[in-house]
């Protein structure tokens, strides 16, 4: 993979940086007019009033406690602030609403000093009590089943991990006490899901924060027209004067088809698009538009249903993996814009071990095993939208896998849904396997490997359960960065390769197209786009 990405990851895994607040994607922005793609006028400085960003689907919601998808995160990171933030191009942690915390010698107590006088968009105070409420609503027993990231970020009593208590000492002092030391905890506090601070007035007393968000970030929510767009406007009273949004309006427009998004870009209807695949890159560049192209922090995988169905037995899972020529499939579907996954984590992330081998392609062995086990059919759930880790969308990937299975005597039924519906279906419906993926939230190995230890099926869609694996994950959380911690995650990787709860497929590059009039655009490794750093010449 590219040296630049490897360098950025090494930086991200290094010492926590104390650089300036909210560097993520620079320090400018733009506003959205009522008409998508309209220049929306311009300021005296020659900056257009509107930037339109087109993505493949609606957000699932706009409260970070209740969603787990990139479409939501890309919008929400412009509405909300977090206690801590990530640097512009890495996962280095920098100050956010708070300075970097003081940590007790035992690694259990974190004391955060918040900036004074910060206000939410409705004028209420963004203080330590508000942050406390945000965290406590996601702790047991308050958390609900529809909070997918709550246990992932804030832990649980059963696992002996995460947050034991939160105290607002005064308006600007917050003390968080953990049950056990956690190496990734500081990074988790900068994540775009679960960690952002929502105004309590948005969710208390029956208020609907999922569709009417209130944050303290550089952009304020204006409207959400389902299936069409979300409109944001600049927060002219943003607390961070050094990073005021420079663009008056930002529109996030939803266009499901890749080709339609490309057409909207080259026609000047939108200014930035993501979710593009290799087939449309020449159309974008030949038309004089810019291509953002960098190694992503993601994994594209197929999860077996480990608790029921055709693949509860490891031999059946092995036969499936033997039936699919992953290397051939990845090259055919993604070309140079994705690499074959030989690891759960991107290959440029430590602690990758090249000695760990995934199941080799062997269709004859697969055919014999399926015949011996009496497996002649199975059902796959798939999504239709493009994903950051799968730019061609789930249907095309599912059909490719279906073709390989047919060659070894197994007919695979594909049941497909749009992404928003799909995320519910993998939790509620019966299936034998399903397509899924992950974009890293914080640059830490735990953020990838912990998925297979999570009790929440929205995270661990294959319902994989292993006490041995879970014990390794807990060790990894409590171990300081270094060789000992790397060895723990290598053991996790080996268990995934041996037991095959997933068939790992590919690691995708982050691709986006944008107008040459756009400046300051950067697609962060965590899969979000901070629009306060983006401007467009009028």
């Amino acid at each position: 993979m590219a040296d630049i990405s490897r360098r950025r990851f090494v930086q991200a895994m290094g010492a926590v940086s104390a650089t300036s607040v909210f560097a993520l994607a620079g320090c400018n922005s733009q506003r959205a007019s009522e008409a998508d793609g309209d220049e929306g006028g311009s300021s005296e400085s020659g900056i257009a009033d509107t930037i339109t960003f087109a993505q493949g689907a609606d957000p699932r919601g706009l409260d970070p406690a209740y969603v787990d998808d990139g479409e939501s995160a890309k919008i929400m990171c412009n509405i909300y602030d977090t206690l801590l933030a990530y640097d512009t191009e890495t996962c280095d942690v920098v100050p956010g609403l708070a300075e970097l915390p003081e940590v007790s010698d035992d690694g259990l107590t974190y004391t955060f000093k918040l900036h004074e006088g910060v206000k939410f968009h409705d004028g209420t105070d963004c203080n330590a009590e508000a942050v406390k409420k945000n965290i406590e609503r996601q702790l047991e027993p308050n958390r609900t089943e529809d909070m997918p990231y709550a246990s992932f970020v804030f832990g649980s009593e059963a696992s002996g991990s995460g947050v034991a208590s939160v105290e607002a000492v005064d308006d600007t002092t917050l003390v968080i006490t953990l049950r056990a030391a956690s190496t990734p905890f500081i990074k988790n506090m900068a994540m775009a899901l679960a960690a952002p601070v929502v105004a309590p007035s948005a969710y208390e007393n029956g208020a609907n924060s999922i569709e009417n968000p209130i944050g303290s970030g550089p952009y304020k929510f204006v409207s959400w027209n389902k299936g069409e767009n979300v409109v944001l406007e600049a927060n002219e009273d943003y607390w961070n004067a050094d990073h005021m949004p420079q663009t008056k309006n930002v529109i996030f427009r939803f266009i499901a088809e890749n080709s339609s998004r490309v057409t909207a870009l080259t026609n000047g209807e939108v200014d930035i698009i993501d979710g593009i695949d290799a087939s449309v890159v020449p159309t974008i560049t030949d038309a004089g538009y810019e291509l953002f192209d960098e190694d992503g922090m993601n994994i594209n995988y197929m999860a077996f249903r480990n608790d029921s169905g055709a693949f509860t037995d490891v031999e059946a899972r092995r036969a499936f993996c033997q039936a699919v020529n992953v290397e051939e499939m990845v090259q055919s579907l993604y070309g140079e814009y994705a690499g074959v996954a030989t690891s759960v984590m991107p290959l440029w992330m430590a602690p990758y071990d090249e000695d760990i081998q995934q199941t080799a392609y062997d269709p004859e062995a697969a055919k014999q095993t399926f015949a011996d086990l009496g497996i002649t059919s199975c059902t796959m759930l798939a999504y239709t939208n493009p994903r950051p880790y799968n730019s061609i969308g789930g249907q095309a990937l599912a059909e490719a896998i279906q073709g390989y299975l047919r060659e070894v005597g197994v007919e695979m039924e594909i049941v497909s849904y749009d992404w928003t519906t799909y995320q519910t279906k993998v939790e509620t419906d019966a299936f034998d396997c399903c397509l899924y993926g992950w974009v890293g939230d914080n640059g830490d190995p735990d953020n990838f490997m912990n998925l297979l230890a999570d009790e929440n099926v929205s995270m661990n869609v294959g319902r994989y359960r292993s006490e041995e694996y879970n014990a390794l994950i807990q060790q990894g959380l409590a171990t300081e960065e270094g060789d000992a911690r790397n060895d723990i995650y290598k053991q996790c990787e080996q268990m995934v390769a041996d037991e095959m709860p997933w068939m790992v497929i590919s690691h995708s590059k982050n691709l986006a197209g944008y107008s040459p009039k756009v400046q300051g655009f950067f697609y962060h490794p965590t899969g979000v786009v901070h629009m306060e750093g983006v401007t467009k010449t009028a």
Side-chain angles (χ1 to χ4, degrees), residues 119-418:
K119 297 288 186 180
F120 289 112
H121 298 152
D122 64 353
T124 56
D125 292 329
C126 181
N127 54 22
E129 183 63 28
V131 179
K132 177 176 182 284
K133 288 182 177 181
N134 270 264
I135 295 174
E136 286 188 334
R137 68 180 176 140
Q138 297 182 76
L139 301 182
E140 298 158 312
N142 301 323
R143 77 169 54 133
T144 56
E145 291 183 357
D146 53 355
M147 293 180 171
Y149 259 71
S151 62
F152 200 69
V153 174
F154 299 112
S156 66
E157 293 182 21
S159 65
S161 66
V163 175
S165 65
V166 189
E167 178 186 4
V169 177
D170 54 43
D171 281 350
T172 60
T173 307
L174 184 80
V175 178
I176 298 176
T177 302
L178 305 184
R179 297 186 181 93
S182 173
T183 296
F185 179 69
I186 286 181
K187 292 177 182 176
N188 288 349
M189 290 299 96
M191 283 167 44
L193 298 170
V197 180
V198 182
S201 57
Y203 56 82
E204 291 180 335
N205 302 316
N208 184 2
S209 54
I210 295 174
E211 295 190 5
N212 295 287
I214 303 172
S216 61
Y219 282 92
K220 299 189 291 186
F221 173 76
V222 175
S223 63
W224 179 1
N225 299 308
K226 299 292 179 66
E228 296 184 16
N229 61 42
V230 166
V231 178
L232 309 180
E233 67 178 3
N235 177 12
E236 296 180 356
D237 298 317
Y238 189 43
W239 62 272
N240 189 351
D242 292 334
H243 300 277
M244 293 292 292
Q246 301 301 304
T247 301
K248 294 179 181 179
N249 307 290
V250 170
I251 295 175
F252 285 87
R253 183 174 166 185
F254 316 129
I255 304 175
E257 295 296 327
N258 286 8
S259 60
S260 298
R261 281 197 306 284
V262 174
T263 299
L265 176 68
T266 56
N267 284 348
E269 299 172 31
V270 302
D271 305 302
I272 308 169
I273 63 173
D274 71 352
I276 59 179
D277 59 53
S279 68
V280 300
V281 168
T283 304
I284 292 170
T285 56
D286 290 350
Y289 286 76
E290 302 293 332
L291 180 72
F292 183 92
D293 169 9
E294 189 167 287
D295 293 332
M297 188 168 64
N298 57 60
I299 176 67
N300 179 25
Y301 66 86
M302 190 203 75
F304 293 104
R305 186 74 182 255
N306 286 255
D307 64 338
S308 64
F311 301 114
T312 56
D313 186 88
V314 69
E315 292 305 313
R317 298 196 294 272
R318 178 175 291 109
F320 193 111
C321 294
Q322 288 174 327
V324 180
N325 189 335
V326 174
E327 184 173 357
E328 177 184 72
M329 181 173 69
V330 169
Q331 178 59 40
S332 173
L333 295 178
Y334 307 111
E336 63 182 293
Y337 296 108
V340 176
T342 56
S343 164
V344 172
M345 289 176 280
L347 308 188
W348 47 268
M349 277 182 69
Y352 174 61
D353 189 340
E354 294 181 356
D355 293 332
I356 295 174
Q357 300 292 318
Q358 303 299 325
T359 302
Y361 176 56
D362 189 344
E364 292 304 317
K367 188 173 185 178
Q368 184 61 56
T369 300
F370 280 138
D372 292 343
L373 295 174
I375 297 175
T376 59
S377 64
C378 63
T379 300
M380 170 186 279
L381 293 189
Y383 50 85
T384 56
N385 303 82
R387 307 297 305 141
Y389 41 78
N390 178 16
S391 59
I392 63 169
Q395 185 68 28
L397 177 57
E399 289 173 0
I401 295 172
Q402 182 186 54
Y404 285 111
L405 267 289
R406 184 171 292 130
E407 291 180 3
V408 297
V410 177
E411 285 297 323
M412 186 176 78
E413 179 188 10
I414 301 170
V415 182
S416 298
Y417 301 95
D418 68 90

Side-chain angles (χ1 to χ4, degrees), residues 33-50:
S33 67
E34 291 301 319
D36 289 357
D38 191 328
E39 290 287 345
S42 63
S43 66
E44 293 180 0
S45 64
I47 296 174
D49 284 345
T50 300

